[in-house]
Amino acid sequence: MLFAPEPLAPTLDSARRVLKQYYGYDSFRPMQADIIESILGGRDTVVLMPTGGGKSVCFQVPAIVQEGVCVVVSPLIALMKDQVEALKANGVSAEYINSSVSQGEQNSIASDCLNGYLKLLYVSPEKLLSEGFLQFLRRLRISMFAIDEAHCISSWGHDFRPEYTQLKLLREQFPQVPIIALTATADRLTQRDIQQQLRLNEPRVFLSSFDRPNLNLIVRPGQDRVGSIVEFVERHPNEAGIVYCLSRKQCETMAEKLKAKGIRAGHYHAGMTPNQRGSVQEAFLKDDLQVIVATIAFGMGIDKSNVRWVIHYNLPKNIEGYYQEIGRAGRDGAPATALLFYSFADVMSLRDMLTKDNPSLTQLNLTKLERMQQFAEAASCRRKILLNYFGETLPQDCGNCDICRNPPTTFDGTLLAQKALSAVVRTRERASIGLLIDVLRGMRNQAVLTAGYDQIKTYGAGADLPYLDWYSYIHQMLNDGLLYIAYEEGYALKITDLGREVLQGQRTLAMKKFQPAEKAEKPTRASKKAAAAAQAAKPVDATAALFEKLRQLRKRIADEQNVPPYVIFTDTTLQEMAAERPVSRVAMLAISGVGMKKFENYGDVFIKEILAYGGAPNPADTEADEPEDIEEAPAPKAPRKKDVGDTHETTLQLHRVGLSVEAIAERRNLSPGTIRAHIETLYAKGFPIRLEEFLTMDEFAEIQTAIGQLGGSPLLRDLFDHLREKYDYFKLRLALHYQKKLRGE
Ligand code: ADP
Ligand code: ZN
């Protein structure tokens, strides 16, 4: 039998308790608290937040706190199902009604609503607007309407849904009920449409930053994409990801290549039946498939929080689409990668496509493509460019894109440019990029010979440089305005006035050194051997191995209950468990993402798994359980938090979203040495630090041997000398801390 839940006082304080009790989170993200205050104050509210920003909490928590039921309008069945499943897993009473729900079930949901048992009811706009349903709603006590994916109301947007425009009826028929509109689209037209069409009454508008600092942005030249992607996936075993391709054919071929390597991959495109697509999507949600290779038809309405990477096989058409697609990675806030392959050939085929597509929009679309191309070719912080596009400015470079991690070095490229420019002139401005490079490099292929380019003076003048280097330099010359492409003349390269000045020696040119992919992306792009070593090194912290165990346990439970694994716990929560190894109730409840309901349901099995693995790294964690009632007592603080100051906390947060020491130092305007000291303190105090980033298994083994040779607890100075200054003090100290943990000290 069901009982109507006791109403709580609608204050921010009770909202905080609800956040801890049901979601297992210690605090609101900055904007969430303000939004919830506005909603609790009965104001109409507009929330503009990027994907993964935490919009759901903004209306769900007030819904739980307030009396009555919150009616949520959501455009997609899959989305509703996901959200309701997640709510139920957290112990919140929620249901959805749409065309997939039987009449019998609808009746029972309706009576739960009337009894005041339900806190949230999700409906499709079609269902909501049907006359019978509106009448039914009039009999309920409604706390608020939440309009999810509110941009669907705007005909300017990409997801326009005509039914959404009818939602103005809600204000007419329920003038007293506040309306909350939420979307991840931030442009002004859409924002205006939302306010006007929903007839919002002096709404408070919350526009959060669209920055996603945990996404590592990488662009790589589009050479050997298939090989590179296979290698990438092999280096990220068990990490879910999406590869976006432009064509169905590419999509199928790529999936086959991955499968041939034993990777659990599937493809997804508009040419498949709804059934086929449904089952591929389901398998991906359940982690049965690791990789989906998809055309852009995939991803809308997918709430999977543990997508760890998104790869673009081709250049996307515009930055909006790109941003939306990479936004599907790392929704749980843990580090994630967005890798884009860029080749000029993509620009050409996209140009062709866009010109044919829709003549009235051609100019706009081509301009958007140009901005996308600029992003791909950029030599400065990519996140700055991205945020700039959305009207936001980032005060510092981000530290988490390929350019920030490996800033390009410049050199005097005048002579190099002159060779290329001279070749352009001598081929009478008829050669395209590929052909020009062949001429410069003295290739003897059909195209070169037929045109007689092997006879010109600059033939072979650039034979000392590989193809990719030339490719990069000619692009820089295009970007710098020395050359341009005559699209209508078979993409022939033409020289500009500026180009002539450089050719004639009237002006010099600084160029950015070309960095081959391996070097350009140190942290993730390593040789296969290094990758294997890294794998072997991971158990240094034992965290990765335990994480894997917990992940498998989560998968078993998810399969039993027929829900996606991330509904049980997110990756971030499992990572924290693996690092903290909580083996008591208090310690487990202190893990972010473990609420009361989840603790009741899964706490014991996860604690057992952790104990079987070796238990708490920190003896303090095994202390006897004090009985503690979470509903009355303040949320149990993680024992560690009070141990360090705010500055350490900040470093920890940046470390956890994947930033390197150098990047953190740059962001915080502190020295790398200071950040290293923070890391060391944090690690020593048992915070979740990814040790493998700073110390490999081999290194630890060598240091351990040295400690053994010196005997007892050697002085750091002696250890340093004994190892002939091979390891700095930072590594040595980390190794000592790690050894202590191994011994259970
Ligand atoms: P959106 O709907 O904006 O895309 P979600 O509501 O799905 O984002 O939230 C993204 C992730 O962040 C989810 O895993 C969610 O549980 C988590 N999250 C939301 N709010 C908080 C918070 N205050 N503390 C920790 N995690 C949070
Ligand atoms: Zn950057």
Side-chain angles (χ1 to χ4, degrees), residues 217 380-385 394 396-405 666-667:
L217 307 173
S380 59
C381 175
R382 296 201 200 272
R383 198 174 315 268
K384 270 193 171 164
I385 301 179
L394 196 65
Q396 278 123 17
D397 284 353
C398 78
N400 198 20
C401 71
D402 50 354
I403 305 280
C404 282
R405 283 175 185 246
E666 193 172 325
R667 270 216 170 184

Side-chain angles (χ1 to χ4, degrees), residues 274-343:
N275 262 347
Q276 288 170 325
R277 275 184 299 181
S279 66
V280 171
Q281 178 166 325
E282 180 87 4
F284 184 59
L285 293 185
K286 293 198 166 161
D287 289 353
D288 288 332
L289 285 180
Q290 185 200 343
V291 181
I292 294 286
V293 190
T295 58
I296 39 168
F298 182 79
M300 165 76 179
I302 296 227
D303 234 353
K304 187 177 165 78
S305 71
N306 63 337
V307 176
R308 293 267 65 88
W309 51 265
V310 164
I311 294 181
H312 282 89
Y313 190 105
N314 304 95
L315 188 74
K317 275 188 272 202
N318 52 50
I319 291 188
E320 286 93 335
Y322 169 71
Y323 201 66
Q324 192 175 36
E325 281 151 22
I326 62 171
R328 290 174 188 138
R331 291 180 68 144
D332 52 13
T337 303
L339 169 60
L340 162 69
F341 286 98
Y342 167 68
S343 85

Side-chain angles (χ1 to χ4, degrees), residues 19 25 27-29 32 50-57 331-332 570:
L19 185 74
Y25 296 143
S27 55
F28 287 116
R29 292 177 181 159
Q32 285 175 331
T51 311
K55 284 186 286 300
S56 318
V57 159
R331 291 180 68 144
D332 52 13
T570 62

Side-chain angles (χ1 to χ4, degrees), residues 85-127:
E85 250 166 23
L87 280 164
K88 284 182 170 171
N90 280 336
V92 181
S93 55
E95 293 292 348
Y96 62 88
I97 292 189
N98 55 42
S99 55
S100 73
V101 179
S102 75
Q103 194 54 52
E105 283 172 273
Q106 291 196 22
N107 292 344
S108 110
I109 292 170
S111 78
D112 282 352
C113 284
L114 288 165
N115 294 335
Y117 170 66
L118 273 201
K119 295 313 301 178
L120 292 115
L121 176 65
Y122 283 70
V123 285
S124 57
E126 298 83 353
K127 181 74 201 174

Side-chain angles (χ1 to χ4, degrees), residues 364 369 437 552 671 731:
L364 178 66
L369 175 61
I437 297 177
Q552 285 165 12
S671 77
K731 273 191 200 282

